[in-house]
Amino acid sequence: MNVLLTFLMLLLAFSSFGQNKLQTPKIDYVTVDTATGRPIIGWSAADSENVEGFIVKRLIVDGVGVVSGTFNNVAVIERNDVFSWIDNSTDYSTMAKPSQRIEYYCVSSYVTIDGQKYYSLMSEPCSTMLLNVEYNQCSDEYNFLWNSSLNTQVDYYVLHSSQDNSYVKPRFAMVKDTSYVYKFDKFIDLRRFTVECVLKNGFSEFSPIVDFEAEQQIAPKIIEISNVSVNDDGKIELTFNASENKYVSKYFLIRNNVDIGVSDTLAMSFLSVENFLYVDTTADVSVHYNYVLAAVNSCATVFGLSNTAGNIVFVAEKGDGNINNLEWNNISILPQDIDNVDIMRSIDGEEYLTIYSCNAQNTNYSDVLSNIIANREKHLGSFCYQLCLISMHGDTAFSNIACVSREPVIYIPNALNPNSSNSENWTFRPKADFLDDYKLTIYDKRGAIIFSSQDIFDGWDGRNGAGKLYPPDTYVYLIVYRDSMGKKHKLSGFVNLVY
């Protein structure tokens, strides 16, 4: 029994020799080689002359044949003058992956006595650093976050950046914390980053290099208002084109009242569209508007604008004499390249017909009505006009409709001569137009009716029903009619029959 007890005590003494006599190594740094991306562990040992070598252990998380989450040997350094090691180990069917996860390391020393290996305690664990980079498209800022080094000698951290494949570039930030937000003066889509941990012991630890590609929110290639026109319902309609773009969160239409400088915002219900027809139901077609289609990104920022396009406001007014004056705003604000401008006119609600064509630089026209009054047609005096704009590609756009109501026009001669050489003098026929319910009556001096007609183009030729001329004399006429407003008018006077 005493022999057995003595043996056990000797065995315990020998087994604890390493822990009692060997000093624990100290990890000076754990870094990642910027060229190869492999972890490098460096350490020191105060009693290195008393040991045979060192054991490097890594926390294994996906290995084979070991308990996941435990430190296991990945290297045995059989020399006491080697104090660094590059981890290329494939033990346990796994390798260190410092660019994907944080790798943890410990180091111990060993010595062999009578064929028995004795180990020191494991050093305090140290780890690689893993840098995470995010880019905020809204603020144009980079967000950096990395894990704290487990090394007790940490002094500060340095962030480095490269715009090419270089591994060493000037630093752009020195911080004490493990996170940082930075905005570069110039946007470059592809940058390389690494974080350096500067240690008080004179060493530095580097994270794996991160190749990071930032995306700016770029506006759609196409945002356009391709047409502005007034439809048959008297509403302004616009045609939009917007190319597909993943950054667009919505579109809205800015409508500016040019006359008073007030803008409205109208929401759109599409993200990408070709030839989308939008009807502005709240617009007044007699008001000049400028429209702009705006693209909004996920940052709630307008980052793309279309061309400015406006409607044509057409104005028609009565001028001096038998003239209707027409004016419209400059058509340069239209989206199309206008090749021709047709002025169309409708009389008394009839079909619109082109009465004049001009180029895009014109902004006015005078419609002389004398030929209308002179022709043998009856008109009520309602004139409506509209511009038809024709682009170089054959597309059309229309202005608003502008109307003018003319007062009745009556020219009354004071005599007639059935024997005149000029046929215009053979009858007494007032030239009248733009009226309704017309009636002409001729009386002799006794007040007897000698002629009556409701045909505006029918005149008195100075004869009775048998075709015989009345004697030369002064006769009385009475003209009764209604204007375009339905008001009844009477005109009376004298006409001389001579021959």
Side-chain angles (χ1 to χ4, degrees), residues 244-263:
E244 186 174 354
N245 183 286
K246 65 180 180 180
Y247 304 114
V248 175
S249 63
K250 64 180 178 180
Y251 284 94
F252 62 84
L253 184 65
I254 303 171
R255 181 184 68 192
N256 177 258
N257 185 319
V258 177
D259 298 329
I260 61 177
V262 175
S263 295

Side-chain angles (χ1 to χ4, degrees), residues 190-351:
L190 184 60
R191 293 181 184 269
R192 313 192 91 198
F193 298 105
T194 184
V195 61
E196 173 189 4
C197 177
V198 178
L199 302 172
K200 295 177 182 178
N201 59 15
F203 294 102
S204 284
E205 300 176 335
F206 287 86
S207 73
I209 289 177
V210 176
D211 290 316
F212 188 82
E213 185 173 2
E215 288 188 53
Q216 279 188 318
Q217 299 204 24
I218 302 172
K221 292 183 179 180
I222 299 174
I223 311 175
E224 68 174 6
I225 303 174
S226 60
N227 198 6
V228 181
S229 185
V230 176
N231 62 23
D232 293 339
D233 295 327
K235 302 295 183 183
I236 296 176
E237 61 182 28
L238 304 95
T239 303
F240 303 132
N241 287 291
S243 56
E244 186 174 354
N245 183 286
K246 65 180 180 180
Y247 304 114
V248 175
S249 63
K250 64 180 178 180
Y251 284 94
F252 62 84
L253 184 65
I254 303 171
R255 181 184 68 192
N256 177 258
N257 185 319
V258 177
D259 298 329
I260 61 177
V262 175
S263 295
D264 298 310
T265 301
L266 311 173
M268 297 288 99
S269 59
F270 60 83
L271 292 180
S272 63
V273 69
E274 182 177 353
N275 294 326
F276 179 81
L277 190 64
Y278 173 78
V279 179
D280 187 356
T281 58
T282 62
D284 181 351
V285 294
S286 65
V287 173
H288 182 197
Y289 299 102
N290 278 343
Y291 294 90
V292 175
L293 186 63
V296 179
N297 60 20
S298 60
C299 304
T301 301
V302 174
F303 74 135
L305 295 172
S306 73
N307 54 309
T308 299
N311 60 312
I312 293 297
V313 178
F314 199 30
V315 178
E317 295 179 341
K318 290 182 288 187
D320 296 335
N322 299 315
I323 297 176
N324 287 336
N325 290 322
L326 313 176
E327 293 183 352
W328 56 95
N329 52 289
N330 193 309
I331 65 175
S332 62
I333 45 82
L334 288 176
Q336 309 103 317
D337 294 323
I338 301 302
D339 186 44
N340 195 61
V341 178
D342 287 348
I343 301 175
M344 302 186 301
R345 179 182 67 196
S346 169
I347 303 177
D348 299 336
E350 296 295 327
E351 179 184 0

